[in-house]
Amino acid sequence: MLKSLFAGVSGLQSHQVAMDVESNNIANVNTIGFKYSRANFSDLLAQTKAIATAPQGELGGKNPVQVGLGASASSVTKIFAQGSVQNSDKNTDVAIQGDGFFIVSPDGGNTYKYTRSGDFKFDAGGNFVDNNGFIVQGWLRDPVTGYVDATAPITNINIPPGLTTPASPTQNVIIKANLNSGPRVDNFSSEYRVESYPAGTAIPSPAAIDENGNPIESGDMGVMFNESGEAFNLQAGQGIWASFVDTTTTASAPVTANTNLDISFELDNGTIKQITSTAPGGETQAQTASRFVSAINAQTSVTGIEAVYDAGTGEITLTNSNSNSNASHNIRISAVGALDGSGFVVGDSATTAYRYQYDPTGPTTAEGFDKKFRTIADLREGLEKEARATAGDGDLDGLFENNIEIIINEQGKFELSNPGGSIDGDYDINLSITGMNSNSITGGGLTENTKFTRSMEALNATLPAGSTATAFSQGFNAATHSASIDIFDSLGSKHTLRTEFRKVAVDPSTGSTWNMKISVPEPATIDTITPYNEKTGFIRFNSDGSLATYNPPNVSFTANNGSAPNQQVAIELGTSNAFDGMTSFDSASSTSGISQDGFTGGDLVGIRIDQSGTLVGSFSNGRSFGLAQIGMAKFTNNEGLTTEGGNVYIQTANSGDPIIGTAATAGRGFMQAAALEASNVDLSRSLTQLIIIQRGYQANGKTITTSDTLLETLIGLKR
């Protein structure tokens, strides 16, 4: 009878423990980071009245007869389920999403405690502490490397009040951009100025002058663009005809009356055009000359030659104005028949028009011959030499006799002037420029580059000697692109570093080449030769638009303001044969990214915490970088931790050792700033559990009162 009394008592006791546990859960329903507990019941040792027996023959086996002795609260389990995350307005609040614990220390890191409550703040000494005053543990920024090393031992997180960051000189400039490789560009600049020099003066090399007055290489005309941004795409052999005076010659003798015409002209393409006319008989000299003139002029569209008869002298004069690209230029008499009566001989040939052809291998600019050019400076030189070598009568004597000047001005235009003032070599310019086509060379096969012809034809003009007027071609331009960024010296002073790219060459098999000019404002320097504030180089691309190579890879920067000299700044334009930096595709030139790693000094103005637990400081200089990182601990058995009050746990023999690392790695959860993890107590579950515990307690009480009644009956048997 007494066993039922003790069983009821054990039930009351175990339910009292469950009541205590659940009351604690409800009490901490609003405790930050709290994890609720659950009381676990187990039965007590049972009294065995009869043991189990096995089946014997025809008699079946019997189960054991046992009477239980009650229940006990065998354990209390901490449930580490995720609590809901609630946003807050405090930047230093931190919640953990997932497994793991913050690490705090009450004694400078000698011992550790662990918590899920991320209600942190900075104390007066800059320590990052919880509500108990325990200092949060983690890693600090290395002042030498500038990085937070999360592989080092953890330490107290301390951000000194009034923290400032010293200036950091720029070490790297990274540029990501596309340089347009297409036949039409929107970003272009005029070709560099090229001066004219007095007759007999050597032309300097490099011949061009940039916008700052510094000598620079002249541009390759094969990669130039017109005023609309359309590429000329000059191919080898393409070019123009140019003559500064009409080609004119007069017959060596008067016309013979009543004779035949039999004269042959060599055309530009090397073929021969024979012009004949048979005498009808009985003609006067004038009639014969008229017949000759008509026959010659009938072929002007082919030969370019027009004939005029002078009745006073009886001679015929031939003129080629060189104004028709489809007709031949000059007057080249290749043969005169034996019965010809025109008065011309082979020696009456005359040449004033010459071919000016693009040749990427190099120039030929000597006067009196066809010219070849690669750069705009080559073409200017060839034209000017021919203009100066042309005598007033149209003949060539190989002397520089006049003051004619041709320059490339700041707009990239050919500019022609005829100021006169020479002793005997002045003449009236009648410049005629026409295009070159299949009729211009032996064997044909040449197509006219109409864009180039149109740009040069604008230079056609009549300029009398001593004229103050000038003639201009259309503008010649280069595809360009530029990007600028501020870099910093060791004092934190800011200087603008500008990079300019200019297209200078195309190789059909390998790709394109662009000149690169890096410049800084004076008095800063980046080169050891003048101009000291500029450094030139190049960048080459492969045929697929990827970066091939570039130079220079770095510059030595000296601000000349008292900061550290010879500051090495790496210019990073990407990886060779890759598309991670500079590219050259058929799309608009544009800069997609430009950055540098220097900064001026600044004061700490704010701190935020990212998902990895890094305390990122924002400074008044606009820079932000990690100042510290919060450490996290993970245990093999979270339930083995012991609660110590104050929302902290301590390690036990059954929790395992803490595995310390950064958030969001190795199974540790990530951190959410400006948020707190709420208690994971489910109030509806807890209140329901109270009812269950209450009913269990009442039922066990009934067990005791019923047993008491039975005992009263037993005692009453004596009466």
Side-chain angles (χ1 to χ4, degrees), residues 260-288:
N260 297 329
L261 174 67
D262 185 4
I263 187 169
S264 297
F265 296 105
E266 181 183 348
L267 306 183
D268 294 338
N269 60 9
T271 61
I272 303 299
K273 180 63 178 179
Q274 183 181 17
I275 302 175
T276 60
S277 178
T278 304
E283 285 182 328
T284 63
Q285 183 190 50
Q287 291 173 328
T288 301

Side-chain angles (χ1 to χ4, degrees), residues 322-338:
N322 301 313
S323 58
N324 186 349
S325 60
N326 294 313
S328 283
H329 301 71
N330 300 308
I331 302 170
R332 299 187 184 94
I333 302 174
S334 61
V336 178

Side-chain angles (χ1 to χ4, degrees), residues 68-91:
L69 299 179
S72 69
S74 60
S75 65
V76 176
T77 301
K78 183 73 71 174
I79 306 299
F80 282 89
Q82 177 71 45
S84 62
V85 175
Q86 300 174 348
N87 292 328
S88 69
D89 295 327
K90 187 172 144 204
N91 287 340

Side-chain angles (χ1 to χ4, degrees), residues 646-711:
N647 283 351
V648 297
Y649 303 91
I650 60 174
Q651 177 186 349
T652 69
N654 196 40
S655 64
D657 291 328
I659 305 170
I660 298 174
T662 58
T665 62
R668 287 176 285 269
F670 67 86
M671 298 185 188
Q672 183 172 339
L676 293 171
E677 182 188 11
S679 169
N680 68 348
V681 173
D682 184 345
L683 195 57
S684 61
R685 185 203 64 81
S686 295
L687 293 176
T688 302
Q689 196 67 22
L690 284 182
I691 297 173
I692 295 172
I693 294 170
Q694 178 186 3
R695 293 307 181 191
Y697 193 91
Q698 289 174 336
N700 278 279
K702 283 295 184 182
T703 300
I704 294 174
T705 57
T706 302
S707 296
D708 179 57
T709 301
L710 293 176
L711 284 172

